[in-house]
Amino acid sequence: MRKIRVLVVDDSMFMRRMISDLLSQDAAIEVVGTARNGQEGLEKARALKPDVITLDVEMPVMDGVTMLQKLMQEQPTPVLMLSSLTTEGAEITLKCLELGAVDFITKPSGSISLDIYKISSQIIEKVKAAAQARVAATSVPTQATAVVSPARAVIARRGGDAPLVVIGASTGGPRALSVVMSSLPADLEAKILLIQHMPEGFTRSLAERLDRNSPFIVREAQGDEVLEPGVAFLAQGGKHLKVERGSRLVLTQDPPVHGVRPAVDVALLSIAQNYPGKVVVAILTGMGSDGAAGVRALYAKGAYTIAEDESTCVVFGMPRAAIQTGCVKRVVPLDQVAQAITEGVKELCSSSRAA
């Protein structure tokens, strides 16, 4: 079997050595080169044509963000960012995901993490996932710019009986969510929940970025909120999100499901059990099968179900698993997901009025 060829780019000699040693422990991975900065990283990427690149952000000569931009224009390659847990680090990481990085790894203790070995299994798993990813020769995704009114919070909406839209995503999700949320119409009569696989410390920044480009108010869920039309709540990183009776949001530290927290299935199954209203579900790009069980349960209760088409997925795992349940009504490319959601909401509203 052909090994996954990896290029490690980091300005710290210690980190280059540690990451290389950790990856080399896996028989399926071969570290074919290392680089000290973004300029050297680009040169070695051109020469070595690796399957995956691990990329630090802060480096001399050329930083990781600049290298990523140039790489995605010249030679699209799956990139795994190394991120710090700071607020600034989260912002830069999310920018890199928008620019085309597949995923990121959080350094346990700063730019030079002496305890990087603690996350060795995570690094290996994410490198293997990145090797399967589809990356496109684009810098920033083409998307509609939301025209957001300063008074959007008081736009007349349907009220408590507005359908609930739930969007779940994993690898490639932040970029996909940005495309979908910026494309939804401002007058859509819906409440929204967003579940993105992401560790603690990153979802607040993601919510703020989505909020700036969406006609909906986007907030990181804190727990005890009540679903409301015109507002999208993003599941908090590192915690499961459930919907209890009365449309109340609850955060829990229950064990990970499918190896992740928040898990899409946890949210969807709680909705199937506790939410009496109409539901639209969209499963976007992501590794694994999270969301499939929830799609099956909600479809049985009349939900309008959507999955992203393989042609636009970074990783066609979660959508494939949902489709394989036989409970997905629409399969559409990413640029048509917002339209499919809108049509689903209108169809459910029409059926409610007819009833």
Side-chain angles (χ1 to χ4, degrees), residues 36 54 61 107 159 170 179 217 242 251 254 262 290 319 339 344:
R36 296 169 292 180
T54 68
V61 184
K107 294 180 180 179
S170 184
V179 172
I217 296 168
K242 295 182 179 181
L251 302 179
D254 293 343
D290 189 21
Q339 180 182 344

Side-chain angles (χ1 to χ4, degrees), residues 10-84:
D10 199 300
D11 65 326
S12 161
M13 181 185 296
F14 172 79
M15 292 299 294
R16 291 197 302 273
R17 173 61 63 84
M18 285 295 293
I19 293 169
S20 298
D21 288 350
L22 291 175
L23 291 175
S24 298
Q25 291 174 11
D26 194 288
I29 298 173
E30 177 187 6
V31 176
V32 294
T34 63
R36 296 169 292 180
N37 57 61
Q39 183 62 50
E40 189 175 307
L42 278 177
E43 293 168 0
K44 292 204 172 183
R46 294 181 190 120
L48 299 171
K49 294 181 171 50
D51 301 311
V52 178
I53 297 173
T54 68
L55 181 59
D56 191 23
V57 173
E58 296 180 6
M59 296 181 291
V61 184
M62 180 187 292
D63 64 25
V65 178
T66 305
M67 176 185 163
L68 178 66
Q69 288 175 309
K70 291 179 179 293
L71 181 75
M72 288 302 162
Q73 291 167 359
E74 300 172 12
Q75 182 184 323
T77 304
V79 172
L80 203 55
M81 302 302 300
L82 292 172
S83 171
S84 66

Side-chain angles (χ1 to χ4, degrees), residues 19-313:
I19 293 169
S20 298
D21 288 350
L22 291 175
L23 291 175
S24 298
Q25 291 174 11
D26 194 288
I29 298 173
E30 177 187 6
V31 176
V32 294
T34 63
R36 296 169 292 180
N37 57 61
Q39 183 62 50
E40 189 175 307
L42 278 177
E43 293 168 0
K44 292 204 172 183
R46 294 181 190 120
L48 299 171
K49 294 181 171 50
D51 301 311
V52 178
I53 297 173
T54 68
L55 181 59
D56 191 23
V57 173
E58 296 180 6
M59 296 181 291
V61 184
M62 180 187 292
D63 64 25
V65 178
T66 305
M67 176 185 163
L68 178 66
Q69 288 175 309
K70 291 179 179 293
L71 181 75
M72 288 302 162
Q73 291 167 359
E74 300 172 12
Q75 182 184 323
T77 304
V79 172
L80 203 55
M81 302 302 300
L82 292 172
S83 171
S84 66
L85 265 173
T86 63
T87 301
E88 183 183 4
E91 278 292 328
I92 294 172
T93 299
L94 291 169
K95 179 179 180 181
C96 290
L97 294 177
E98 284 189 359
L99 291 171
V102 170
D103 206 345
F104 67 95
I105 301 162
T106 306
K107 294 180 180 179
S109 55
S111 57
I112 300 179
S113 291
L114 301 179
D115 53 354
I116 190 82
Y117 64 88
K118 291 180 179 177
I119 57 168
S120 59
S121 60
Q122 181 186 358
I123 295 174
I124 290 169
E125 178 185 345
K126 291 202 172 192
V127 163
K128 289 181 175 179
Q132 302 172 34
R134 179 187 291 106
V135 291
T138 55
S139 51
V140 179
T142 301
Q143 60 190 56
T145 300
V147 179
V148 181
S149 163
R152 62 180 177 170
V154 294
I155 290 174
R157 295 183 188 263
R158 186 175 173 82
D161 62 341
L164 170 61
V165 174
V166 189
I167 306 174
S170 184
T171 312
R175 196 179 190 195
L177 287 173
S178 180
V179 172
V180 173
M181 291 301 297
S182 67
S183 303
L184 291 174
D187 60 351
L188 184 67
E189 301 171 347
K191 313 158 190 174
I192 298 182
L193 276 185
L194 308 172
I195 298 95
Q196 164 69 46
H197 295 172
M198 194 165 269
E200 184 178 0
F202 289 85
T203 43
R204 175 169 293 183
S205 292
L206 177 58
E208 290 171 353
R209 293 178 78 87
L210 294 174
D211 182 70
R212 289 195 291 268
N213 296 304
S214 170
F216 280 70
I217 296 168
V218 183
R219 298 174 181 156
E220 182 191 49
Q222 302 300 310
D224 285 331
E225 300 98 335
V226 175
L227 293 168
E228 57 180 302
V231 179
F233 290 103
L234 174 68
Q236 193 174 129
K239 295 179 182 177
H240 288 307
L241 177 66
K242 295 182 179 181
V243 177
E244 299 290 355
R245 297 191 187 281
S247 299
R248 188 172 66 90
L249 303 182
V250 175
L251 302 179
T252 79
Q253 290 281 6
D254 293 343
V257 174
H258 305 297
V260 295
R261 191 173 58 203
V264 180
D265 271 334
V266 170
L268 296 184
L269 293 173
S270 74
I271 291 165
Q273 181 177 356
N274 300 318
Y275 186 77
K278 303 289 187 179
V279 181
V280 175
V281 182
I283 302 298
L284 307 183
T285 176
M287 184 180 176
S289 62
D290 189 21
V295 163
R296 186 185 291 111
L298 283 167
Y299 183 80
K301 300 189 74 172
Y304 191 101
T305 50
I306 302 162
E308 183 180 350
D309 186 74
E310 181 177 7
S311 63
T312 57
C313 283

